[in-house]
Amino acid sequence: MMFSQVAKFSLQKLIGRRHLSGFPAPRLFDYETVTSNLSVSDAIEAVEQAFSALAKGKVDVPMPMHIGVEESENAGPGDCHIKGGYVSGTPTFTVKLACVSFYKNLEKKLPPGSGIFIVVNAVTGAPLGVFQENRFMTDLRTGAAGAVAMKYCSTESQTNVGFIGTGAIARNMARAAACVRSFEGVAYAFDGADEFCKEMEAETGMPFNVANSAEALCGISDIIFTQTPGGSLVLEKDWLKDTGVTIIASGSDQPTKQEIPNDVLAAGKYISDLTKQTSRVGELRGALQANIMTESDVYAELGQIVNGEKPAREGNEIIVVDLTGTGAQDAAIGQVAWDKLSKL
């Protein structure tokens, strides 16, 4: 009897192992494959739909996880962000690991950031693909969110578009903006604005000029994209046009960052990508801590604007759209990447 029970248990373990090993290995897509086959235009529709679903409560988005790697002889400095999400009814969900600010890498001629997306079968729970994207897909979905914000929170007549900060995210914001409407671009940065303007003008076919200061840029811009490291404020309320400005801010994604002054946030309509997140790591955090705003002062989340629950621009008000990056966007770009690259 005892032998029979042992044999039965052993057989169950063997069957269990076979079942577990029955999943095929996930496909690995290297950086070159990812970057040569995906563009920001691929992501815009999916990200718009994800914001819509998020506002309807149809996305499971846990709060981001942050791992700080302090500098020592053996490690760092650097930061690791882990995000993910599942959009109800879609065939996959996504978990993303993004590493940033590993500045010692520059001494080794390596980039300071890296990352992977893991796209998982929502039916079986088995990983389908691992995308070595090194923040490329993150930047695409951030640019796509910028396009959604511009589409719904500005008007067709707002065609003077400013870019404060001219790095990788700014390039995707410019590409995404070009998918929304024709515009005249102006850029300001401590370094790299000339190169940015030349590249974006050649790529988008839109005219781009360099501003000699952030104040000068604000004075002529109807829409302002800000995408800096977030270590200091990038504009002032008195610099803004009085004919209605839309600010789309994406530089703040940690509790230590802020680009937009609190008085600007409180002056008009503040729209978050996800309030429970922007209150902790976005522009809203600073205004809450200063007791200038409360969460009840949030006009809407972006998905509510997409769904038509509230109007965005109604006159000459200041609109600030705070983009901290949500797991819904990661799920959206993950699905897009799997749908497109799995056919290669």
Side-chain angles (χ1 to χ4, degrees):
M1 184 69 175
M2 181 65 71
F3 176 79
S4 151
Q5 289 177 332
V6 171
K8 183 179 179 181
F9 178 71
S10 298
L11 181 60
Q12 288 174 336
K13 286 183 66 178
L14 179 60
I15 292 172
R17 286 173 183 167
R18 285 178 178 170
H19 280 308
L20 289 174
S21 64
F23 291 121
R27 291 183 62 182
L28 175 63
F29 300 94
D30 63 21
Y31 182 74
E32 288 72 22
T33 301
V34 171
T35 57
S36 61
N37 286 281
L38 291 176
S39 67
V40 70
S41 60
D42 293 322
I44 294 173
E45 182 178 357
V47 167
E48 181 176 333
Q49 292 173 352
F51 276 121
S52 173
L54 184 62
K56 294 175 182 177
K58 294 184 178 181
V59 185
D60 188 2
V61 183
M63 288 299 294
M65 177 178 170
H66 173 250
I67 301 172
V69 182
E70 63 181 16
E71 185 172 7
S72 68
E73 293 182 3
N74 299 316
D79 295 281
C80 176
H81 303 276
I82 301 168
K83 294 181 179 179
Y86 174 62
V87 180
S88 180
T90 57
T92 69
F93 63 90
T94 294
V95 178
K96 179 191 73 175
L97 183 150
C99 294
V100 298
S101 305
F102 283 81
Y103 295 118
K104 282 186 178 179
N105 285 357
L106 299 175
E107 301 170 5
K108 305 170 186 175
K109 297 184 178 179
L110 294 171
S114 63
I116 60 170
F117 272 62
I118 302 172
V119 176
V120 184
N121 188 317
V123 177
T124 66
L128 294 171
V130 178
F131 298 78
Q132 183 196 21
E133 49 86 46
N134 295 345
R135 294 192 55 80
F136 179 80
M137 287 167 58
T138 295
D139 291 345
L140 289 188
R141 59 84 152 143
T142 302
V148 175
M150 179 176 171
K151 175 181 176 180
Y152 286 95
C153 301
S154 67
T155 65
E156 292 291 332
S157 63
Q158 293 184 296
T159 57
N160 293 316
V161 181
F163 299 86
I164 299 179
T166 54
I169 293 178
R171 283 166 166 77
N172 278 307
M173 291 295 187
R175 295 174 184 125
C179 294
V180 177
R181 73 177 71 105
S182 298
F183 64 87
E184 295 184 12
V186 58
Y188 173 76
F190 291 128
D191 186 44
D194 287 294
E195 181 181 4
F196 171 84
C197 288
K198 290 176 183 177
E199 288 183 9
M200 291 299 98
E201 183 165 318
E203 186 174 328
T204 66
M206 312 291 178
F208 275 79
N209 293 292
V210 177
N212 58 21
S213 68
E215 182 176 359
L217 180 147
C218 290
I220 60 174
S221 297
D222 304 312
I223 301 166
I224 303 171
F225 288 92
T226 65
Q227 49 279 311
T228 69
S232 60
L233 303 178
V234 300
L235 53 80
E236 296 181 12
K237 185 172 178 289
D238 291 343
W239 298 353
L240 302 175
K241 294 173 67 175
D242 58 7
T243 53
V245 177
T246 298
I247 300 169
I248 302 170
S250 60
S252 181
D253 59 0
Q254 294 180 38
T256 57
K257 296 182 177 182
Q258 186 172 355
E259 291 184 312
I260 311 303
N262 292 333
D263 63 338
V264 174
L265 298 175
K269 292 177 177 176
Y270 169 85
I271 299 170
S272 69
D273 56 3
L274 186 62
T275 301
K276 71 176 184 179
Q277 192 167 290
T278 62
S279 62
R280 292 180 57 183
V281 298
E283 300 295 333
L284 179 60
R285 175 199 55 80
L288 294 176
Q289 290 180 348
N291 294 318
I292 292 176
M293 294 176 65
T294 67
E295 288 194 24
S296 64
D297 293 317
V298 175
Y299 176 71
E301 291 187 344
L302 183 55
Q304 293 177 288
I305 304 296
V306 171
N307 291 337
E309 296 177 33
K310 288 188 175 182
R313 180 157 301 286
E314 297 177 279
N316 293 333
E317 72 270 40
I318 296 171
I319 296 177
V320 177
V321 185
D322 191 359
L323 301 177
T324 53
T326 71
Q329 294 162 249
D330 294 323
I333 189 64
Q335 183 71 62
V336 167
W338 175 252
D339 286 345
K340 192 170 185 180
L341 274 62
S342 64
K343 296 174 184 178
L344 298 178

